Amino acid sequence: MKLLSFILRRLFLMIIVLFGILVIVFFIAKIIPADPVGALLGGNAPPELVDELKHKLGLDRPLSQQFFDYIKGAVKGDFGVSLKTNRPVIEDIKEYFPATLELSIFAIIISVVIGMFLGIFSAVKRNSFIDHFSRVFSIMGVSMPVFWTGLLLLLLFYYILGWLPGSGRLSLFVLPPEQKTGLILIDSLLEGNWEAFWDGLKHIILPAFVLGYASSASIARMTRASVLDVLKQDYIRTAKAKGLPKRIVIYKHALRNALIPVVTIIGLRFGSLLEGAVLTETIFGWPGLGRYIVNALLVLDYPAIMGGTFFIALVYSIANLIVDIIYAILDPRMRI
């Protein structure tokens, strides 16, 4: 019952946070001194056409009525119609989000593998070469901007060496698999389309590494600090005194307890990958939700901007909720 009560409390808090995000997104969109109707029709549009479009978009209504309509639509999953694509925003999100999700999943896998490997070995081999390498790797990952890392890797692996493709999810002449999940790698495996699978894998490596590099640096530092802290505990000294092999002491006794804070940082970083995808997708021409929002910003497509922003916040909040639940399962003290 304590776990169920904990989950219900977190759900209630998540709903409050999402409502606050809706309010902030709406009023920021209204405060920005820009005219979406003028951007769409141009400065020389006839006044009657401007008035007609404002009425169609509901911009001629009082601000309180616009806010109420926006909240009511958001609760139903209706964020309006995109001014650029002339389609419901929710349909655009359904089309573009799978690409962002696939990129984020691949990026977090890279982050966890690299980050935990470096973190564990730098803690076990403290002040060794791998520890110093991990420190330099982490500092570079945290300090280098995503767009700079992306451009450097594109220059090296695409332009100079020609080992990996530059942009997109698939090459031009590769037949995409039938869309079932929207994730090309999974859909191509389900279909047995190996050409599309290997081509999609080559396309996702560079943007996923760029997106996950900073996260792997954070995970590495957190893992190192957590493992070092656990290795100082009395029960670890007791395990060593009993003559247990070092491998058993580290991986069975120390790592299990050290993973509790690491799980938290992994969940938070996965949510932040969705935000970082905006820059990464733009650099690599990745047709995901981040690039969709950037294109909407360029033409002041407010329904698309607001809908895409809220959807990213929703996924981030769900990721935080899952992390809280896992944390409560691993550490029962969190349920109190």
Side-chain angles (χ1 to χ4, degrees):
M1 287 300 295
K2 285 185 178 180
L3 181 59
L4 179 60
S5 175
F6 176 84
I7 294 173
L8 291 176
R9 288 201 306 270
R10 286 295 185 269
L11 278 172
F12 178 71
L13 291 174
M14 188 181 78
I15 292 172
I16 294 176
V17 169
L18 290 176
F19 179 77
I21 291 171
L22 280 174
V23 174
I24 293 171
V25 169
F26 175 82
F27 283 104
I28 286 179
K30 296 302 177 183
I31 290 172
I32 294 175
D35 181 15
V37 175
L40 189 65
L41 298 178
N44 299 322
E48 57 272 13
L49 186 59
V50 172
D51 293 337
E52 180 183 351
L53 185 58
K54 282 186 176 181
H55 179 72
K56 181 181 178 181
L57 298 176
L59 298 177
D60 56 346
R61 300 174 186 172
L63 187 62
S64 57
Q65 183 64 40
Q66 293 183 44
F67 176 71
F68 178 77
D69 292 341
Y70 171 68
I71 296 295
K72 184 172 66 174
V75 171
K76 297 177 181 178
D78 180 12
F79 298 100
V81 177
S82 169
L83 304 181
K84 186 178 189 323
T85 64
N86 202 27
R87 296 172 54 195
V89 172
I90 192 65
E91 294 298 324
D92 286 342
I93 291 175
K94 289 179 182 178
E95 178 180 339
Y96 288 101
F97 181 67
T100 299
L101 181 62
E102 183 175 44
L103 180 60
S104 299
I105 291 174
F106 207 89
I108 198 64
I109 291 173
I110 292 175
S111 302
V112 171
V113 171
I114 295 177
M116 291 194 65
F117 175 83
L118 287 178
I120 293 170
F121 278 90
S122 61
V124 175
K125 306 289 185 180
R126 189 177 182 183
N127 296 325
S128 65
F129 169 77
I130 193 170
D131 189 20
H132 297 312
F133 173 79
S134 174
R135 188 176 294 111
V136 173
F137 178 87
S138 301
I139 292 173
M140 291 178 61
V142 173
S143 60
M144 289 179 65
V146 170
F147 68 88
W148 180 246
T149 307
L151 292 175
L152 286 179
L153 293 183
L154 275 175
L155 177 65
L156 177 61
F157 291 102
Y158 170 64
Y159 183 75
I160 297 177
L161 298 177
W163 291 354
L164 295 170
S167 62
R169 298 179 76 188
L170 284 175
S171 299
L172 185 61
F173 300 105
V174 174
L175 186 66
E178 181 183 352
Q179 193 172 31
K180 296 176 181 178
T181 64
L183 312 180
I184 282 183
L185 296 180
I186 294 179
D187 288 344
S188 57
L189 283 176
L190 293 175
E191 190 179 282
N193 188 346
W194 293 104
E195 182 185 13
F197 175 79
W198 291 114
D199 190 71
L201 186 62
K202 287 189 291 185
H203 274 81
I204 202 173
I205 289 175
L206 274 184
F209 180 80
V210 170
L211 188 58
Y213 182 22
S215 297
S216 65
S218 301
I219 293 171
R221 301 314 297 168
M222 177 62 73
T223 304
R224 179 185 183 275
S226 183
V227 171
L228 283 175
D229 183 62
V230 170
L231 288 176
K232 298 174 184 177
Q233 301 298 317
D234 291 337
Y235 71 92
I236 297 296
R237 296 193 187 97
T238 304
K240 291 178 179 178
K242 288 181 178 180
L244 292 177
K246 187 176 181 180
R247 176 174 55 85
I248 299 296
V249 173
I250 293 173
Y251 293 104
K252 186 176 180 180
H253 295 280
L255 188 58
R256 183 174 181 179
N257 290 318
L259 281 179
I260 294 177
V262 176
V263 167
T264 304
I265 195 68
I266 290 174
L268 295 176
R269 294 308 301 182
F270 180 73
S272 66
L273 290 178
L274 297 172
E275 303 169 14
V278 174
L279 278 176
T280 306
E281 289 177 3
T282 304
I283 294 169
F284 288 92
W286 193 265
L289 188 58
R291 193 179 177 195
Y292 171 76
I293 295 175
V294 170
N295 291 333
L297 283 167
L298 296 176
V299 295
L300 298 179
D301 187 354
Y302 282 166
I305 296 169
M306 295 162 71
T309 302
F310 175 75
F311 189 80
I312 288 178
L314 173 63
V315 175
Y316 191 94
S317 299
I318 293 174
N320 282 338
L321 176 64
I322 294 173
V323 168
D324 286 341
I325 294 173
I326 295 174
Y327 205 117
I329 293 172
L330 293 175
D331 187 356
R333 293 173 298 177
M334 289 296 298
R335 306 175 195 176
I336 301 175

